[in-house]
Amino acid sequence: MNLTLMIKLLPTTEQHQSLLETMERFNAACNVIAEAAFAEHTANKVRLQKLVYSRIREEFGSSAQMKVRAIAKTCEAYKRDKSIKPTFKPHGAIVCDQRLLLWKGLERVSILTLGRRILVPIVFGEYQAARLNRIRGQADLIYRDGVFYLAVVVDVPEPPQGAPNGILGVDLGIKNIATGSDGEVFSGGHVNGLRHRHAKLRQCLQSKGTKSAKRLLKNLVEKNLASLRM
């Protein structure tokens, strides 16, 4: 079973700015790649790399692997709906593989930014700490409300299936709401009484037809619907 954990980063002011600039440059490159993908009607990574690699290297710099990840992100977005050109917000997530992000124990991560690597402290709770050794695949660098996070997928074992102690048959009805195969009966008298009272009240309000009656009728219907959703 796969779960997604959110790991909070604690960068310095300088590191925060470096991560932000990297993210903005990455997504700007994705928008340029998206133009080529839409114009050529292709989501093929190899073909797009030949078309745009030189341009994004000149305009955006960054590492070769960062360009590869930008092309991959754009292709995935374009595949979802080829009738429109995908657009990417400046602070959209960066998918980090092992060449872009390295775990340094349970205290820091090494992230490749524009031109250099930075070591950023991380913080997490006991729940995340117990599962970090089960991280699988890539991590998403996410920027939310001024804070950077790493969204990682962990593989955890399926919870054991409980063995039933027996089987209970249930017969549903109107007079009796339910009758179990063990002989226990759940009477519908109270429920039916409420149904009859509500039906009579609705009939009375409908016959009046005044604004206040209509308002009460509307409130009654909304309450009944709310009780059904619970």
Side-chain angles (χ1 to χ4, degrees), residues 83-131:
S83 66
I84 59 174
K85 182 183 73 173
T87 57
F88 300 88
K89 296 180 180 180
H91 298 153
I94 297 178
V95 181
C96 300
D97 56 21
Q98 293 180 347
R99 295 184 182 183
L100 298 182
L101 183 140
L102 298 172
W103 295 87
K104 300 296 183 179
L106 297 180
E107 298 177 352
R108 298 179 297 175
V109 290
S110 172
I111 304 176
L112 183 62
T113 61
L114 295 174
R116 68 187 184 95
R117 281 192 170 273
I118 58 175
L119 284 173
V120 183
I122 56 177
V123 62
F124 44 81
E126 294 181 3
Y127 179 85
Q128 290 93 334
R131 291 161 176 79

Side-chain angles (χ1 to χ4, degrees), residues 9-213:
L9 302 185
L10 297 175
T12 63
T13 301
E14 181 182 353
Q15 289 175 336
H16 185 281
Q17 186 61 30
S18 181
L19 289 170
L20 203 59
E21 291 175 356
T22 300
M23 181 171 279
E24 291 170 353
R25 190 81 62 87
F26 177 88
N27 285 290
C30 287
N31 281 317
V32 170
I33 300 166
E35 291 179 3
F38 188 70
E40 298 294 328
H41 303 290
T42 181
N44 185 283
K45 296 177 185 178
V46 176
R47 185 180 177 190
L48 275 176
Q49 185 165 330
K50 292 179 180 178
L51 290 172
V52 302
Y53 191 87
S54 297
R55 179 182 173 186
I56 60 176
R57 179 182 59 190
E58 294 173 0
E59 293 187 20
F60 304 104
S62 73
S63 70
Q65 190 61 20
M66 193 79 73
K67 300 180 186 70
V68 170
R69 296 313 314 165
I71 292 171
K73 178 180 178 178
T74 305
C75 287
E76 291 301 317
Y78 184 52
K79 283 179 182 178
R80 289 194 287 269
D81 187 354
K82 292 186 177 181
S83 66
I84 59 174
K85 182 183 73 173
T87 57
F88 300 88
K89 296 180 180 180
H91 298 153
I94 297 178
V95 181
C96 300
D97 56 21
Q98 293 180 347
R99 295 184 182 183
L100 298 182
L101 183 140
L102 298 172
W103 295 87
K104 300 296 183 179
L106 297 180
E107 298 177 352
R108 298 179 297 175
V109 290
S110 172
I111 304 176
L112 183 62
T113 61
L114 295 174
R116 68 187 184 95
R117 281 192 170 273
I118 58 175
L119 284 173
V120 183
I122 56 177
V123 62
F124 44 81
E126 294 181 3
Y127 179 85
Q128 290 93 334
R131 291 161 176 79
L132 285 181
N133 63 334
R134 296 179 176 273
I135 293 177
R136 296 292 180 267
Q138 304 165 148
D140 289 354
L141 178 64
I142 296 173
Y143 189 60
R144 183 183 298 166
D145 298 327
V147 179
F148 282 101
Y149 298 90
L150 289 173
V152 297
V153 176
V154 295
D155 182 18
V156 297
E158 294 279 354
Q161 296 282 334
N165 296 324
I167 298 175
L168 176 67
V170 179
D171 182 23
L172 303 179
I174 297 177
K175 184 176 181 180
N176 294 323
I177 295 298
T179 303
S181 58
D182 59 355
E184 187 173 2
V185 177
F186 299 89
S187 174
H190 178 66
V191 174
N192 288 330
L194 288 175
R195 287 174 178 168
H196 178 71
R197 190 175 69 184
H198 285 177
K200 191 174 181 179
L201 178 59
R202 286 196 302 271
Q203 184 179 11
C204 180
L205 292 173
Q206 288 170 348
S207 64
K208 285 186 177 182
T210 62
K211 288 184 178 180
S212 60

